[in-house]
Amino acid sequence: MAPVRIAVVGLGKIARDQHLPAIAANPAFTLVATVSREGDGVPGVPHFQSLDQLLERGPAIDAAALCTPPQVRHELAAMALARGTHLFLEKPPGATLAEVAALQGMAQASGATLFASWHSRFAAGVAPARSWLAGRRIDRVQITWREDVRVWHPGQAWIWEPGGLGVFDPGINALSIATHILPQRFFLKSAVLEFPANRAAPIAADMHFCDTHGAPIHMDLDWRQTGPQTWDIVVETDAGRLTLSNGGAVLALPDRTERDEDREYAGLYAHFAALIRSGQCDVDVTPLQLVADAFLCGRRREVEAFED
């Protein structure tokens, strides 16, 4: 089978750090074009200022990875799906749930694969954590996701605008893991979202969930942590404690600890290739639903202004 001819749309930090190396390492794909309004793209690869320029004048593509901010992604995704192009959506899959649902309908009509990716689900410890938790009684869960926004999102103004999610941009990674590994669905009970006085998106959130069996789930998100960063999920069960740390890369169980190298994006692209071969889509919006519920039902608290 010939490699899938793929274009990367949006050449920000995540595209250069993760998507381009993962594509280069996967023989199922060949990078044939890049799209970005800024910069010159990748040496030796045709580069375009817009997706419509690529689709009209560029090399033929079978698939595209959309790595743009979520606020502008729907128009680009619709343009590609109208031509039957397979789509890999960087997380979150869109700025709203309704637009993602619309894209699902377009993908079904066109026969194209639509993959709403959640990279943290492909961290090394996540699959074994899900297996270990299956069938166990969950007593309580603590999610702590604290990092320094100046390190991970320097100068990215879009992330502070409506649809940019603010601290939920990393927080949705934790929710993508929790919704995948916990055996019962869970829902929001209460939330307090802290908004800097000069920003339209939150910098911190304190959230309380409950699963369908009554187990409490607490989530602590903060973008103001300096020094060592914290990406931990602790699950207390009838068989002892499970801890996922380092964003899911390290799994600690009552009788052992497992750790492995970073392979999130390698796993994502392997999955995307399999979806294309089988003619399937994978669009799970559950993490985005929980974030939407936080904005819908959470209390807003104004805090001091934040400057990069």
Side-chain angles (χ1 to χ4, degrees), residues 114-132:
L114 182 64
F115 176 33
S117 71
W118 300 107
H119 66 82
S120 291
R121 287 184 175 176
F122 288 80
V126 172
R130 176 184 168 97
S131 296
W132 192 84

Side-chain angles (χ1 to χ4, degrees), residues 100-202:
V100 179
L103 293 178
Q104 287 182 271
M106 293 186 67
Q108 184 176 12
S110 70
T113 288
L114 182 64
F115 176 33
S117 71
W118 300 107
H119 66 82
S120 291
R121 287 184 175 176
F122 288 80
V126 172
R130 176 184 168 97
S131 296
W132 192 84
L133 290 171
R136 300 194 189 278
R137 188 190 72 230
I138 307 301
D139 294 329
R140 66 186 57 83
V141 181
Q142 174 64 43
I143 303 170
T144 306
W145 227 253
R146 289 173 161 252
E147 63 182 45
D148 187 345
V149 64
R150 291 185 175 93
V151 171
W152 300 101
H153 298 281
Q156 295 182 8
W158 63 266
I159 213 163
W160 295 105
E161 295 300 321
L165 297 189
V167 75
F168 287 108
D169 180 80
I172 205 170
N173 295 334
L175 290 172
S176 75
I177 295 174
T179 55
H180 189 63
I181 67 172
L182 295 177
Q184 307 298 326
R185 293 182 70 93
F186 59 93
F187 53 92
L188 185 70
K189 299 290 287 184
S190 66
V192 176
L193 313 183
E194 296 189 350
F195 286 74
N198 60 337
R199 304 289 181 172

Side-chain angles (χ1 to χ4, degrees), residues 237-251:
T237 79
D238 56 340
R241 175 181 294 177
L242 175 149
T243 301
L244 275 171
S245 56
N246 197 25
V250 180
L251 171 64

